[in-house]
């Protein structure tokens, strides 16, 4: 006899199944029936947990990014300030950014996803603010307004990521050169210092589903 799942376990199973489908179909391509088939349950059970497809895909994105950022923070906390900043700003794996790029594309048509995307974008900016403050406190960099610096560098990193992952215009080495160079110039760091401090990948490891 199959083990009966708790409500939380079933909800988690549905969310993870949704993420697997998003990885192959994109947010716009996922339907409740697809998710039900992936989980192996009747369509009506999905609606017991999520009132709409939009609510489900937003919950899946929210869950994945929440877990991802928790992992990122734990890894960054274990690094020296300069290495942590380099790790955060360096190019991330393709599967990480493609999900974010797809979320940006779908958000205007899915208010719940747009809200989750906005919330996590701000989470990422807060992490970068903290990292900038760490290098400033260590006497390595200068910043009059860490929040403004974080917004500027996030915009640069996101734009470069689109050209790298979605358009294949620039490669990973050039992507890092552009973003790390912009950070060095903005924060008064010695040229090449972030590249030299670059650790093993420290963020953007899209949570396993």
């Amino acid at each position: 006899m199959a083990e009966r799942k708790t409500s939380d376990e079933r909800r988690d199973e549905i969310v993870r199944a949704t993420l697997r489908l998003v990885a192959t179909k994109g947010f716009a391509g996922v339907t409740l029936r697809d998710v039900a088939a992936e989980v192996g349950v009747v369509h009506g059970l999905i609606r017991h947990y999520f009132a709409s497809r939009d609510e489900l895909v937003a919950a899946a994105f929210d869950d994945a990014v929440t877990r991802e950022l928790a992992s990122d923070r734990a890894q960054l906390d274990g690094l020296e300030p300069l290495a942590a900043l380099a790790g955060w700003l360096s190019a991330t794996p393709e599967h990480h950014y493609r999900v974010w790029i797809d979320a940006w594309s779908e958000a205007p048509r899915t208010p719940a996803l747009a809200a989750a995307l906005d919330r996590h974008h701000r989470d990422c900016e807060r992490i970068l603010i903290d990292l900038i403050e760490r290098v400033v406190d260590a006497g390595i960099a200068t910043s009059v307004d860490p929040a403004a610096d974080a917004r500027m560098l996030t915009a640069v990193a996101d734009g470069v990521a689109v050209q790298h992952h979605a358009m294949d215009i620039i490669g990973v080495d050039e992507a890092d050169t552009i973003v790390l160079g912009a950070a060095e110039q903005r924060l008064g760091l010695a040229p090449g210092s972030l590249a030299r401090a670059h650790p093993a990948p420290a963020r953007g490891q899209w949570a396993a589903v």
Side-chain angles (χ1 to χ4, degrees):
M1 184 174 179
E3 182 182 354
R4 185 178 180 84
K5 290 182 171 63
T6 67
S7 179
D8 288 344
E9 288 171 339
R10 181 63 80 184
R11 187 185 187 281
D12 186 62
E13 182 181 38
I14 291 169
V15 166
R16 289 174 181 269
T18 303
L19 287 171
R20 289 196 297 271
L21 292 170
V22 166
T24 57
K25 292 187 167 191
F27 286 99
V30 174
T31 68
L32 294 181
R33 293 190 182 279
D34 290 337
V35 175
E38 179 75 10
V39 177
V41 298
V42 297
H43 174 245
L45 182 64
I46 306 298
R47 288 194 176 276
H48 174 73
Y49 293 92
F50 300 96
S52 67
R53 187 205 76 92
D54 290 357
E55 182 183 316
L56 173 56
V57 297
F61 179 78
D62 183 60
D63 177 80
V65 177
T66 297
R67 288 187 287 114
E68 181 182 49
L69 292 183
S71 174
D72 288 348
R73 287 188 181 99
Q75 294 182 63
L76 293 167
D77 286 347
L79 297 173
E80 294 297 320
L82 203 60
L85 180 62
W88 179 259
L89 290 173
S90 60
T92 55
E94 180 176 1
H95 57 285
H96 162 86
Y97 247 110
R98 283 194 177 276
V99 173
W100 277 84
I101 290 168
D102 192 51
W104 291 334
S105 176
E106 181 64 13
R109 297 178 292 277
T110 310
L113 180 59
L117 186 60
D118 178 73
R119 184 168 61 255
H120 288 305
H121 180 83
R122 295 179 191 279
D123 288 340
C124 289
E125 283 194 346
R126 280 193 289 272
I127 291 173
L128 183 51
I129 290 169
D130 290 344
L131 294 173
I132 291 171
E133 290 175 342
R134 281 178 63 187
V135 295
V136 170
D137 290 344
I140 303 169
T142 58
S143 174
V144 175
D145 187 345
D149 293 336
R151 287 192 299 273
M152 177 269 191
L153 293 174
T154 296
V156 171
D158 286 345
V160 167
V162 170
Q163 293 190 45
H164 172 46
H165 292 302
M167 304 173 69
D168 198 25
I169 293 175
I170 59 178
V172 64
D173 290 340
E174 186 178 1
D176 281 346
T177 296
I178 293 170
V179 178
L180 298 183
E184 289 163 355
Q185 184 175 31
R186 180 84 177 193
L187 302 174
L189 292 162
S193 58
L194 286 173
R196 289 190 294 273
H198 193 331
R203 66 171 295 240
Q205 305 301 320
W206 192 253
V209 297

